[in-house]
Coordinates of all heavy atoms in Angstrom, one line a residue:
M264 N -36.9 -18.7 28.4 CA -35.4 -18.9 28.6 C -34.8 -18.8 27.2 O -35.2 -19.3 26.2 CB -35.1 -20.3 29.2 CG -33.7 -20.5 29.4 SD -33.0 -19.4 30.7 CE -33.7 -20.1 32.2
T265 N -33.7 -18.0 27.1 CA -33.0 -17.9 25.8 C -31.6 -18.5 26.0 O -31.1 -18.6 27.1 CB -32.8 -16.4 25.4 OG1 -32.2 -15.7 26.6 CG2 -34.1 -15.7 25.0
F266 N -31.1 -19.0 24.9 CA -29.9 -19.6 24.9 C -28.9 -18.9 23.9 O -29.3 -18.4 22.9 CB -30.0 -21.1 24.5 CG -30.8 -21.9 25.4 CD1 -32.2 -22.0 25.3 CD2 -30.2 -22.5 26.5 CE1 -32.9 -22.7 26.2 CE2 -30.9 -23.3 27.4 CZ -32.3 -23.4 27.2
C267 N -27.6 -19.0 24.2 CA -26.6 -18.4 23.4 C -26.6 -19.1 22.0 O -26.6 -20.4 21.9 CB -25.2 -18.6 24.0 SG -23.9 -18.0 22.9
T268 N -26.7 -18.3 20.9 CA -26.6 -18.9 19.6 C -25.3 -19.6 19.2 O -25.2 -20.4 18.3 CB -27.0 -17.8 18.5 OG1 -26.0 -16.8 18.7 CG2 -28.4 -17.3 18.7
D269 N -24.3 -19.2 20.0 CA -22.9 -19.7 19.7 C -22.6 -20.9 20.5 O -22.2 -22.0 19.9 CB -21.9 -18.6 19.9 CG -20.7 -18.7 19.1 OD1 -20.8 -19.1 17.9 OD2 -19.6 -18.6 19.7
C270 N -22.7 -20.8 21.8 CA -22.2 -21.9 22.7 C -23.4 -22.7 23.4 O -23.2 -23.7 24.1 CB -21.2 -21.4 23.7 SG -21.9 -20.4 25.0
G271 N -24.6 -22.1 23.3 CA -25.8 -22.8 23.9 C -26.0 -22.5 25.4 O -26.8 -23.2 26.1
E272 N -25.2 -21.6 25.9 CA -25.3 -21.3 27.3 C -26.6 -20.6 27.6 O -27.2 -19.9 26.8 CB -24.1 -20.3 27.7 CG -24.1 -19.8 29.1 CD -23.5 -20.8 30.0 OE1 -23.0 -21.9 29.6 OE2 -23.4 -20.5 31.2
K273 N -27.2 -21.0 28.8 CA -28.5 -20.3 29.2 C -28.1 -18.9 29.5 O -27.2 -18.6 30.2 CB -29.0 -21.0 30.5 CG -29.7 -22.3 30.2 CD -30.2 -22.9 31.6 CE -30.6 -24.3 31.4 NZ -30.9 -24.9 32.7
L274 N -29.1 -18.0 29.0 CA -28.8 -16.6 29.2 C -29.9 -16.0 30.1 O -31.1 -16.4 30.0 CB -28.8 -15.9 27.8 CG -27.8 -16.4 26.8 CD1 -28.1 -15.8 25.5 CD2 -26.4 -16.1 27.3
P275 N -29.5 -15.0 30.9 CA -30.5 -14.2 31.6 C -31.4 -13.5 30.6 O -30.9 -13.1 29.5 CB -29.7 -13.3 32.5 CG -28.3 -13.8 32.5 CD -28.2 -14.6 31.2
E276 N -32.7 -13.2 30.9 CA -33.6 -12.6 29.9 C -33.1 -11.3 29.4 O -33.3 -11.0 28.2 CB -35.0 -12.4 30.6 CG -35.8 -13.6 30.8 CD -36.1 -14.3 29.5 OE1 -36.4 -13.6 28.5 OE2 -36.1 -15.6 29.4
N277 N -32.5 -10.5 30.2 CA -32.0 -9.2 29.8 C -30.6 -9.1 29.3 O -30.0 -8.0 29.1 CB -32.3 -8.1 30.9 CG -31.5 -8.6 32.2 OD1 -30.9 -9.6 32.3 ND2 -31.5 -7.7 33.2
A278 N -30.0 -10.2 29.1 CA -28.5 -10.2 28.8 C -28.4 -9.8 27.3 O -29.1 -10.2 26.4 CB -28.0 -11.6 29.0
Y279 N -27.4 -8.9 27.1 CA -27.1 -8.5 25.7 C -25.9 -9.3 25.2 O -25.8 -9.4 24.0 CB -26.7 -7.0 25.7 CG -27.9 -6.1 25.9 CD1 -27.7 -4.8 26.4 CD2 -29.2 -6.4 25.5 CE1 -28.8 -3.9 26.6 CE2 -30.2 -5.6 25.7 CZ -30.0 -4.3 26.2 OH -31.1 -3.5 26.4
F280 N -25.2 -9.9 26.1 CA -24.0 -10.7 25.7 C -24.0 -12.0 26.5 O -24.4 -12.0 27.6 CB -22.7 -10.0 25.8 CG -22.6 -8.8 25.0 CD1 -22.9 -7.5 25.4 CD2 -22.1 -8.9 23.7 CE1 -22.7 -6.4 24.6 CE2 -22.0 -7.8 22.8 CZ -22.3 -6.5 23.3
C281 N -23.6 -13.0 25.8 CA -23.4 -14.3 26.5 C -22.3 -14.2 27.6 O -21.2 -13.7 27.3 CB -23.0 -15.4 25.5 SG -22.6 -17.0 26.3
P282 N -22.6 -14.6 28.8 CA -21.6 -14.5 29.9 C -20.5 -15.5 29.7 O -19.4 -15.3 30.3 CB -22.4 -14.7 31.1 CG -23.6 -15.5 30.7 CD -23.9 -15.1 29.3
K283 N -20.7 -16.5 28.9 CA -19.7 -17.5 28.7 C -18.7 -17.2 27.6 O -17.5 -17.3 27.8 CB -20.4 -18.8 28.5 CG -19.5 -20.0 28.7 CD -20.1 -21.3 28.4 CE -19.2 -22.5 28.5 NZ -19.8 -23.7 27.9
C284 N -19.3 -16.9 26.4 CA -18.4 -16.7 25.3 C -18.3 -15.3 24.7 O -17.5 -15.0 23.8 CB -18.8 -17.7 24.1 SG -20.3 -17.3 23.3
G285 N -19.2 -14.4 25.1 CA -19.2 -13.1 24.7 C -20.0 -12.8 23.5 O -20.0 -11.7 22.9
Q286 N -20.7 -13.8 22.9 CA -21.5 -13.6 21.7 C -22.7 -12.7 22.0 O -23.2 -12.8 23.1 CB -22.0 -15.0 21.3 CG -23.0 -15.0 20.2 CD -22.4 -14.7 18.8 OE1 -21.2 -14.9 18.6 NE2 -23.2 -14.2 17.9
R287 N -23.0 -11.9 21.1 CA -24.1 -10.9 21.3 C -25.4 -11.7 21.2 O -25.6 -12.6 20.3 CB -24.1 -9.8 20.3 CG -25.2 -8.8 20.5 CD -25.0 -7.6 19.6 NE -24.9 -8.0 18.2 CZ -24.9 -7.2 17.1 NH1 -25.0 -5.9 17.4 NH2 -24.8 -7.6 15.9
T288 N -26.3 -11.5 22.1 CA -27.6 -12.2 22.2 C -28.6 -11.5 21.2 O -28.4 -10.4 20.8 CB -28.2 -12.2 23.6 OG1 -28.5 -10.9 24.0 CG2 -27.3 -12.8 24.6
R289 N -29.8 -12.2 21.0 CA -30.7 -11.6 20.1 C -31.3 -10.3 20.7 O -31.4 -9.4 19.9 CB -31.9 -12.6 19.9 CG -32.7 -12.3 18.6 CD -33.9 -13.2 18.5 NE -33.5 -14.6 18.6 CZ -34.4 -15.6 19.0 NH1 -35.6 -15.3 19.3 NH2 -34.0 -16.8 19.1
S290 N -31.5 -10.3 22.0 CA -32.0 -9.0 22.6 C -30.9 -7.9 22.5 O -31.2 -6.8 22.3 CB -32.4 -9.2 24.0 OG -31.4 -9.8 24.8
G291 N -29.6 -8.3 22.6 CA -28.6 -7.4 22.3 C -28.6 -6.8 21.0 O -28.4 -5.6 20.7
A292 N -28.8 -7.7 19.9 CA -28.9 -7.3 18.6 C -30.1 -6.3 18.3 O -30.0 -5.3 17.7 CB -29.0 -8.5 17.6
E293 N -31.2 -6.7 18.9 CA -32.4 -5.9 18.8 C -32.3 -4.5 19.5 O -32.8 -3.5 19.0 CB -33.6 -6.6 19.5 CG -34.2 -7.7 18.5 CD -35.2 -8.6 19.3 OE1 -35.5 -8.4 20.5 OE2 -35.5 -9.6 18.6
A294 N -31.5 -4.5 20.5 CA -31.2 -3.2 21.2 C -30.2 -2.4 20.5 O -29.9 -1.2 20.8 CB -30.8 -3.5 22.6
G295 N -29.6 -3.0 19.4 CA -28.6 -2.2 18.6 C -27.3 -2.1 19.3 O -26.5 -1.1 19.1
I296 N -27.0 -3.0 20.2 CA -25.7 -3.0 20.9 C -24.7 -3.6 19.9 O -24.8 -4.6 19.4 CB -25.7 -3.9 22.2 CG1 -26.9 -3.4 23.1 CG2 -24.4 -3.8 22.9 CD1 -26.7 -2.1 23.8
S297 N -23.6 -2.8 19.7 CA -22.5 -3.3 18.9 C -21.5 -4.1 19.7 O -21.3 -3.7 20.9 CB -21.8 -2.2 18.1 OG -21.2 -1.4 19.0
T298 N -21.0 -5.2 19.2 CA -20.1 -6.0 19.9 C -18.7 -5.3 19.8 O -18.5 -4.5 18.9 CB -19.9 -7.4 19.3 OG1 -19.4 -7.2 18.0 CG2 -21.2 -8.1 19.3
P299 N -17.9 -5.5 20.9 CA -16.5 -4.9 20.8 C -15.8 -5.2 19.5 O -15.0 -4.5 19.0 CB -15.8 -5.5 22.0 CG -16.9 -6.0 22.9 CD -18.0 -6.4 22.0
W300 N -16.1 -6.4 19.0 CA -15.4 -6.9 17.7 C -15.9 -6.0 16.6 O -15.0 -5.6 15.7 CB -15.8 -8.3 17.4 CG -15.1 -8.8 16.2 CD1 -13.8 -9.3 16.3 CD2 -15.5 -8.9 14.9 NE1 -13.4 -9.7 15.0 CE2 -14.4 -9.4 14.1 CE3 -16.7 -8.6 14.2 CZ2 -14.6 -9.6 12.7 CZ3 -16.8 -8.8 12.9 CH2 -15.7 -9.3 12.1
E301 N -17.1 -5.5 16.6 CA -17.6 -4.6 15.5 C -16.9 -3.3 15.6 O -16.5 -2.7 14.6 CB -19.1 -4.5 15.5 CG -19.8 -5.6 14.8 CD -21.3 -5.7 15.0 OE1 -21.8 -5.0 15.9 OE2 -22.0 -6.4 14.3
D302 N -16.7 -2.8 16.8 CA -16.0 -1.6 17.0 C -14.5 -1.7 16.5 O -14.0 -0.8 15.8 CB -15.9 -1.2 18.5 CG -17.2 -0.7 19.0 OD1 -18.1 -0.4 18.1 OD2 -17.4 -0.7 20.2
L303 N -14.0 -2.8 16.8 CA -12.6 -3.1 16.4 C -12.5 -3.1 14.8 O -11.6 -2.6 14.3 CB -12.2 -4.5 16.9 CG -10.7 -4.7 17.3 CD1 -10.4 -3.8 18.4 CD2 -10.5 -6.1 17.7
R304 N -13.5 -3.8 14.2 CA -13.5 -3.9 12.8 C -13.6 -2.4 12.2 O -12.9 -2.2 11.2 CB -14.7 -4.7 12.3 CG -14.6 -4.9 10.8 CD -15.7 -5.9 10.4 NE -17.0 -5.5 10.8 CZ -18.2 -6.2 10.6 NH1 -18.1 -7.3 10.0 NH2 -19.3 -5.7 10.9
E305 N -14.4 -1.6 12.8 CA -14.5 -0.2 12.3 C -13.2 0.5 12.4 O -12.7 1.2 11.5 CB -15.6 0.5 13.1 CG -16.2 1.7 12.4 CD -17.4 2.2 13.2 OE1 -18.4 1.5 13.4 OE2 -17.3 3.4 13.6
T306 N -12.5 0.3 13.6 CA -11.2 0.9 13.8 C -10.3 0.4 12.7 O -9.5 1.2 12.2 CB -10.7 0.5 15.2 OG1 -11.7 0.9 16.1 CG2 -9.4 1.3 15.5
F307 N -10.3 -0.9 12.5 CA -9.4 -1.4 11.5 C -9.6 -0.9 10.1 O -8.7 -0.6 9.4 CB -9.4 -3.0 11.5 CG -8.5 -3.6 12.4 CD1 -8.9 -4.4 13.5 CD2 -7.1 -3.4 12.3 CE1 -8.1 -5.0 14.4 CE2 -6.2 -3.9 13.2 CZ -6.7 -4.8 14.2
S308 N -10.9 -0.7 9.7 CA -11.2 -0.2 8.4 C -10.7 1.2 8.3 O -10.3 1.7 7.2 CB -12.7 -0.4 8.1 OG -13.4 0.7 8.7
K309 N -10.8 2.0 9.4 CA -10.3 3.4 9.4 C -8.8 3.3 9.2 O -8.2 4.2 8.5 CB -10.8 4.1 10.7 CG -12.1 4.7 10.6 CD -12.5 5.4 11.9 CE -14.0 5.8 11.9 NZ -14.5 6.0 13.2
M310 N -8.2 2.5 10.0 CA -6.7 2.3 9.9 C -6.3 2.0 8.5 O -5.3 2.6 8.0 CB -6.3 1.3 10.9 CG -5.8 1.8 12.2 SD -5.4 0.5 13.4 CE -4.2 -0.4 12.6
G311 N -7.1 1.1 7.9 CA -6.8 0.7 6.5 C -6.8 1.9 5.6 O -5.9 2.1 4.7
E312 N -7.8 2.8 5.7 CA -7.8 4.0 4.9 C -6.6 4.9 5.1 O -6.1 5.4 4.1 CB -9.1 4.8 5.3 CG -10.4 4.3 4.5 CD -11.6 5.0 5.1 OE1 -11.5 6.2 5.5 OE2 -12.6 4.3 5.2
E313 N -6.2 5.0 6.4 CA -5.1 5.9 6.7 C -3.8 5.3 6.1 O -3.0 6.0 5.6 CB -5.0 6.1 8.2 CG -5.7 7.3 8.7 CD -5.9 7.3 10.2 OE1 -5.0 6.9 10.9 OE2 -7.0 7.8 10.6
I314 N -3.7 4.0 6.2 CA -2.5 3.3 5.6 C -2.5 3.5 4.1 O -1.5 3.8 3.5 CB -2.5 1.8 6.0 CG1 -2.1 1.6 7.5 CG2 -1.5 1.0 5.1 CD1 -2.4 0.3 8.0
E315 N -3.7 3.4 3.5 CA -3.8 3.6 2.0 C -3.3 5.0 1.7 O -2.6 5.2 0.7 CB -5.2 3.4 1.6 CG -5.3 2.3 0.5 CD -6.8 1.9 0.3 OE1 -7.5 2.8 -0.3 OE2 -7.2 0.8 0.7
N316 N -3.9 6.0 2.5 CA -3.5 7.4 2.2 C -2.0 7.6 2.4 O -1.4 8.2 1.5 CB -4.2 8.3 3.2 CG -5.7 8.5 2.9 OD1 -6.1 8.2 1.8 ND2 -6.4 8.9 3.9
A317 N -1.4 7.0 3.4 CA 0.0 7.1 3.6 C 0.8 6.5 2.4 O 1.8 7.1 2.0 CB 0.4 6.3 4.9
F318 N 0.3 5.4 1.9 CA 1.0 4.8 0.8 C 0.9 5.7 -0.5 O 1.8 5.7 -1.2 CB 0.4 3.4 0.5 CG 1.1 2.3 1.2 CD1 0.5 1.5 2.1 CD2 2.5 2.1 1.0 CE1 1.1 0.5 2.8 CE2 3.2 1.1 1.6 CZ 2.5 0.3 2.5
S319 N -0.3 6.3 -0.7 CA -0.4 7.1 -1.9 C 0.4 8.4 -1.8 O 1.0 8.8 -2.8 CB -1.9 7.4 -2.1 OG -2.3 8.4 -1.2
I320 N 0.6 8.9 -0.6 CA 1.5 10.0 -0.4 C 2.9 9.6 -0.6 O 3.7 10.2 -1.4 CB 1.4 10.6 1.1 CG1 0.0 11.3 1.2 CG2 2.5 11.6 1.4 CD1 -0.4 11.6 2.6
A321 N 3.3 8.4 -0.1 CA 4.7 7.9 -0.3 C 4.9 7.6 -1.8 O 6.0 7.9 -2.3 CB 4.8 6.6 0.5
G322 N 3.9 7.2 -2.4 CA 4.0 6.9 -3.9 C 4.3 8.2 -4.6 O 5.2 8.2 -5.5
K323 N 3.7 9.3 -4.3 CA 3.9 10.6 -4.9 C 5.3 11.1 -4.6 O 6.0 11.5 -5.6 CB 2.9 11.6 -4.5 CG 1.6 11.5 -5.3 CD 0.5 12.4 -4.6 CE -0.9 12.0 -5.1 NZ -1.9 12.6 -4.3
E324 N 5.7 10.9 -3.4 CA 7.1 11.3 -3.0 C 8.1 10.5 -3.8 O 9.1 11.0 -4.2 CB 7.3 11.1 -1.5 CG 6.5 12.1 -0.6 CD 7.0 13.6 -0.9 OE1 8.2 13.8 -0.8 OE2 6.1 14.4 -1.1
M325 N 7.8 9.2 -3.9 CA 8.7 8.3 -4.6 C 8.9 8.7 -6.1 O 9.9 8.8 -6.6 CB 8.2 6.9 -4.5 CG 9.2 5.8 -4.7 SD 9.4 4.9 -3.1 CE 8.1 3.8 -3.2
E326 N 7.7 9.1 -6.7 CA 7.7 9.5 -8.1 C 8.5 10.7 -8.2 O 9.3 10.8 -9.2 CB 6.2 9.8 -8.4 CG 5.7 9.1 -9.7 CD 4.2 9.3 -9.9 OE1 3.9 10.4 -10.3 OE2 3.5 8.4 -9.6
K327 N 8.4 11.6 -7.3 CA 9.1 12.9 -7.3 C 10.6 12.6 -7.2 O 11.4 13.1 -8.0 CB 8.7 13.8 -6.2 CG 8.7 15.3 -6.5 CD 8.5 16.1 -5.3 CE 7.0 16.1 -4.8 NZ 6.9 16.9 -3.5
A328 N 11.0 11.7 -6.3 CA 12.4 11.4 -6.1 C 13.0 10.7 -7.4 O 14.1 11.0 -7.8 CB 12.5 10.4 -4.9
L329 N 12.1 9.8 -8.0 CA 12.6 9.1 -9.2 C 12.8 10.1 -10.3 O 13.8 10.0 -11.1 CB 11.6 8.1 -9.6 CG 11.6 6.8 -8.9 CD1 10.5 5.9 -9.3 CD2 12.9 6.0 -9.1
K330 N 11.9 11.1 -10.4 CA 12.0 12.1 -11.5 C 13.3 12.9 -11.3 O 14.0 13.1 -12.3 CB 10.8 13.0 -11.5 CG 10.6 13.8 -12.8 CD 9.5 14.8 -12.7 CE 9.4 15.6 -13.9 NZ 10.6 16.4 -14.2
I331 N 13.6 13.3 -10.1 CA 14.8 14.0 -9.8 C 16.0 13.2 -10.1 O 17.0 13.7 -10.8 CB 14.9 14.5 -8.3 CG1 13.8 15.6 -8.0 CG2 16.2 15.0 -7.9 CD1 13.5 15.8 -6.6
A332 N 16.0 11.9 -9.8 CA 17.1 11.0 -10.0 C 17.3 10.9 -11.6 O 18.5 10.9 -12.1 CB 16.8 9.6 -9.4
R333 N 16.2 10.7 -12.3 CA 16.2 10.6 -13.7 C 16.8 11.9 -14.4 O 17.7 11.8 -15.2 CB 14.8 10.4 -14.2 CG 14.8 9.6 -15.5 CD 13.4 8.9 -15.7 NE 12.3 9.8 -15.4 CZ 11.2 9.4 -14.9 NH1 10.9 8.2 -14.6 NH2 10.2 10.3 -14.7
D334 N 16.4 13.0 -13.9 CA 16.9 14.3 -14.4 C 18.4 14.4 -14.2 O 19.2 14.8 -15.0 CB 16.2 15.5 -13.7 CG 14.8 15.7 -14.2 OD1 14.4 15.0 -15.2 OD2 14.0 16.4 -13.6
K335 N 18.9 13.9 -13.0 CA 20.3 14.0 -12.7 C 21.1 13.0 -13.6 O 22.2 13.4 -14.0 CB 20.5 13.5 -11.2 CG 20.3 14.7 -10.3 CD 20.7 14.4 -8.9 CE 20.4 15.7 -7.9 NZ 20.4 15.3 -6.6
I336 N 20.5 11.9 -13.9 CA 21.2 10.9 -14.8 C 21.3 11.6 -16.2 O 22.3 11.6 -16.8 CB 20.4 9.6 -14.9 CG1 20.6 8.8 -13.5 CG2 20.9 8.8 -16.0 CD1 19.6 7.7 -13.3
V337 N 20.2 12.1 -16.6 CA 20.2 12.8 -18.0 C 21.3 13.9 -18.0 O 22.1 14.0 -18.9 CB 18.8 13.4 -18.3 CG1 18.9 14.2 -19.5 CG2 17.8 12.2 -18.5
E338 N 21.3 14.7 -16.9 CA 22.3 15.8 -16.8 C 23.6 15.3 -16.8 O 24.5 15.8 -17.6 CB 22.0 16.5 -15.4 CG 22.5 17.9 -15.3 CD 22.2 18.5 -14.0 OE1 21.0 18.8 -13.8 OE2 23.1 18.7 -13.2
A339 N 24.0 14.2 -16.0 CA 25.3 13.6 -16.0 C 25.7 13.0 -17.3 O 26.9 13.2 -17.7 CB 25.3 12.5 -14.9
T340 N 24.8 12.3 -17.9 CA 25.2 11.6 -19.2 C 25.2 12.6 -20.4 O 25.9 12.3 -21.4 CB 24.2 10.5 -19.5 OG1 22.9 11.1 -19.5 CG2 24.3 9.4 -18.5
S341 N 24.6 13.7 -20.3 CA 24.6 14.7 -21.4 C 25.8 15.6 -21.4 O 26.0 16.4 -22.3 CB 23.3 15.5 -21.4 OG 23.2 16.3 -20.3
K342 N 26.6 15.5 -20.3 CA 27.7 16.5 -20.2 C 28.8 16.2 -21.2 O 29.3 17.0 -21.9 CB 28.3 16.4 -18.8 CG 27.7 17.5 -17.9 CD 28.1 17.5 -16.5 CE 27.3 18.4 -15.6 NZ 27.5 18.2 -14.2
E343 N 29.3 14.9 -21.2 CA 30.4 14.5 -22.1 C 29.9 13.4 -23.0 O 30.1 12.3 -22.7 CB 31.6 14.2 -21.3 CG 32.3 15.3 -20.6 CD 33.3 14.8 -19.7 OE1 34.3 14.1 -20.1 OE2 33.3 15.1 -18.4
P344 N 29.3 13.7 -24.1 CA 28.9 12.7 -25.0 C 30.1 11.9 -25.6 O 31.2 12.6 -25.9 CB 28.1 13.4 -26.0 CG 28.6 14.8 -26.0 CD 29.1 15.1 -24.6
I345 N 30.0 10.7 -25.9 CA 31.0 9.9 -26.5 C 30.6 9.9 -28.0 O 29.5 9.5 -28.4 CB 31.1 8.5 -26.0 CG1 31.4 8.5 -24.5 CG2 32.1 7.6 -26.8 CD1 31.2 7.1 -23.8
I346 N 31.6 10.3 -28.8 CA 31.3 10.3 -30.2 C 31.8 9.0 -30.9 O 32.9 8.6 -30.7 CB 32.0 11.6 -30.9 CG1 31.3 12.9 -30.4 CG2 31.8 11.5 -32.4 CD1 32.2 14.1 -30.5
C347 N 30.9 8.4 -31.5 CA 31.1 7.1 -32.1 C 32.2 7.3 -33.2 O 32.1 8.1 -34.1 CB 29.9 6.5 -32.7 SG 30.1 4.9 -33.6
P348 N 33.3 6.5 -33.2 CA 34.3 6.6 -34.2 C 33.9 6.1 -35.6 O 34.5 6.4 -36.6 CB 35.5 5.7 -33.7 CG 34.8 4.7 -32.7 CD 33.6 5.4 -32.2
D349 N 32.8 5.3 -35.6 CA 32.4 4.8 -36.8 C 31.3 5.7 -37.6 O 31.5 6.0 -38.7 CB 31.7 3.4 -36.6 CG 32.5 2.2 -37.0 OD1 33.8 2.5 -36.9 OD2 32.0 1.2 -37.4
C350 N 30.3 6.1 -36.8 CA 29.2 6.8 -37.4 C 29.2 8.3 -37.0 O 28.3 9.1 -37.4 CB 27.9 6.1 -37.3 SG 27.3 6.2 -35.5
E351 N 30.0 8.6 -36.0 CA 30.1 10.0 -35.4 C 28.8 10.4 -34.7 O 28.6 11.6 -34.5 CB 30.5 11.0 -36.5 CG 31.9 10.7 -37.0 CD 32.4 11.7 -38.0 OE1 31.6 12.5 -38.5 OE2 33.6 11.8 -38.3
E352 N 28.1 9.4 -34.3 CA 26.9 9.7 -33.5 C 27.3 10.0 -32.1 O 28.2 9.4 -31.6 CB 25.9 8.5 -33.6 CG 24.6 8.6 -32.9 CD 23.7 9.7 -33.6 OE1 23.6 9.6 -34.9 OE2 23.2 10.6 -33.0
K353 N 26.6 11.0 -31.5 CA 26.9 11.4 -30.1 C 26.1 10.4 -29.2 O 24.9 10.3 -29.3 CB 26.5 12.8 -29.8 CG 27.5 13.8 -30.2 CD 27.1 15.2 -29.9 CE 28.1 16.2 -30.5 NZ 27.6 17.6 -30.3
N354 N 26.8 9.8 -28.3 CA 26.2 8.9 -27.3 C 26.4 9.4 -25.9 O 27.4 10.0 -25.6 CB 26.8 7.5 -27.4 CG 26.5 6.8 -28.7 OD1 25.4 6.1 -28.8 ND2 27.3 6.9 -29.7
P355 N 25.4 9.2 -25.0 CA 25.6 9.6 -23.6 C 26.9 9.0 -23.0 O 27.2 7.9 -23.4 CB 24.3 9.1 -22.9 CG 23.4 8.9 -24.0 CD 24.1 8.6 -25.2
A356 N 27.5 9.7 -22.0 CA 28.7 9.2 -21.4 C 28.8 7.8 -20.9 O 29.8 7.2 -20.9 CB 29.2 10.2 -20.4
S357 N 27.6 7.4 -20.4 CA 27.6 6.0 -19.8 C 27.4 4.9 -20.8 O 27.4 3.8 -20.5 CB 26.5 6.0 -18.7 OG 25.3 6.3 -19.4
T358 N 27.2 5.3 -22.0 CA 26.9 4.3 -23.1 C 28.2 3.5 -23.4 O 29.3 4.1 -23.5 CB 26.4 4.9 -24.4 OG1 25.4 5.9 -24.0 CG2 25.8 3.9 -25.3
R359 N 28.1 2.2 -23.5 CA 29.2 1.3 -23.9 C 29.2 1.0 -25.3 O 30.3 0.6 -25.8 CB 29.2 0.1 -23.0 CG 29.4 0.4 -21.5 CD 29.4 -0.8 -20.6 NE 30.5 -1.7 -20.9 CZ 30.5 -2.9 -20.5 NH1 29.5 -3.4 -19.8 NH2 31.6 -3.7 -20.8
F360 N 28.0 1.0 -25.9 CA 27.9 0.7 -27.3 C 27.2 1.8 -28.0 O 26.2 2.3 -27.5 CB 27.3 -0.7 -27.5 CG 28.0 -1.8 -27.0 CD1 27.8 -2.3 -25.7 CD2 29.1 -2.4 -27.7 CE1 28.5 -3.3 -25.1 CE2 29.8 -3.5 -27.2 CZ 29.5 -4.0 -25.9
C361 N 27.6 2.1 -29.2 CA 26.9 3.2 -30.0 C 25.4 2.8 -30.2 O 25.2 1.6 -30.6 CB 27.6 3.4 -31.3 SG 26.7 4.5 -32.4
Y362 N 24.6 3.7 -29.8 CA 23.1 3.3 -30.0 C 22.7 3.4 -31.4 O 21.6 3.0 -31.8 CB 22.2 4.2 -29.0 CG 22.1 5.6 -29.4 CD1 21.1 6.0 -30.4 CD2 22.8 6.6 -28.9 CE1 20.9 7.3 -30.8 CE2 22.6 7.9 -29.2 CZ 21.7 8.3 -30.2 OH 21.6 9.6 -30.5
N363 N 23.5 4.0 -32.3 CA 23.1 4.1 -33.7 C 23.7 2.9 -34.5 O 22.9 2.3 -35.3 CB 23.7 5.4 -34.2 CG 23.3 5.7 -35.6 OD1 22.1 5.6 -35.9 ND2 24.2 6.1 -36.5
C364 N 24.9 2.5 -34.3 CA 25.5 1.4 -35.1 C 25.9 0.2 -34.3 O 26.3 -0.8 -34.9 CB 26.6 2.0 -36.0 SG 28.1 2.4 -35.0
G365 N 26.0 0.3 -33.0 CA 26.4 -0.9 -32.2 C 27.9 -1.0 -32.0 O 28.3 -2.0 -31.4
K366 N 28.6 -0.1 -32.5 CA 30.1 -0.1 -32.2 C 30.4 0.0 -30.8 O 29.9 0.8 -30.1 CB 30.7 1.0 -33.1 CG 32.2 1.2 -32.8 CD 33.1 0.5 -33.8 CE 34.5 0.8 -33.6 NZ 35.4 -0.2 -34.4
K367 N 31.4 -0.7 -30.3 CA 31.8 -0.6 -28.9 C 32.6 0.7 -28.7 O 33.5 1.0 -29.5 CB 32.7 -1.8 -28.6 CG 33.0 -1.9 -27.1 CD 33.6 -3.2 -26.6 CE 33.7 -3.2 -25.1 NZ 34.4 -4.4 -24.6
L368 N 32.2 1.4 -27.7 CA 32.8 2.7 -27.4 C 33.8 2.6 -26.3 O 33.6 1.8 -25.4 CB 31.6 3.7 -27.1 CG 30.5 3.8 -28.1 CD1 29.4 4.6 -27.5 CD2 31.0 4.5 -29.4
K369 N 34.8 3.5 -26.3 CA 35.8 3.5 -25.2 C 35.3 4.3 -24.0 O 34.7 5.3 -24.2 CB 37.1 4.0 -25.8 CG 37.8 3.0 -26.6 CD 39.0 3.6 -27.2 CE 39.6 2.6 -28.3 NZ 40.7 3.3 -29.0
Ligands
ZN571 ZN1 -22.2 -18.2 24.3
ZN572 ZN1 28.1 4.4 -34.3

């Protein structure tokens, strides 16, 4: 007579799974029967990989978008430079203080 390793339920000789709690029996393990939970875990690990891939793709797309945004900012700010009245340094249009001398710009 075999007993369930998990709940102690009496098991039929040829049982691969405990009829009470679903735990795989020793004969089930010896027969190489995988529990539904193990299948589930495999599915989840595959899903994890796919999620990771999706994130890395999203990361690349994000990088690209950021680069475009940065280029646009550079383009916008380089159009009309503000010339510092103090040191005559050219500052990007969005600058509020001269990056060379710290003078407040209009
Ligand atoms: Zn059991
Ligand atoms: Zn200046």
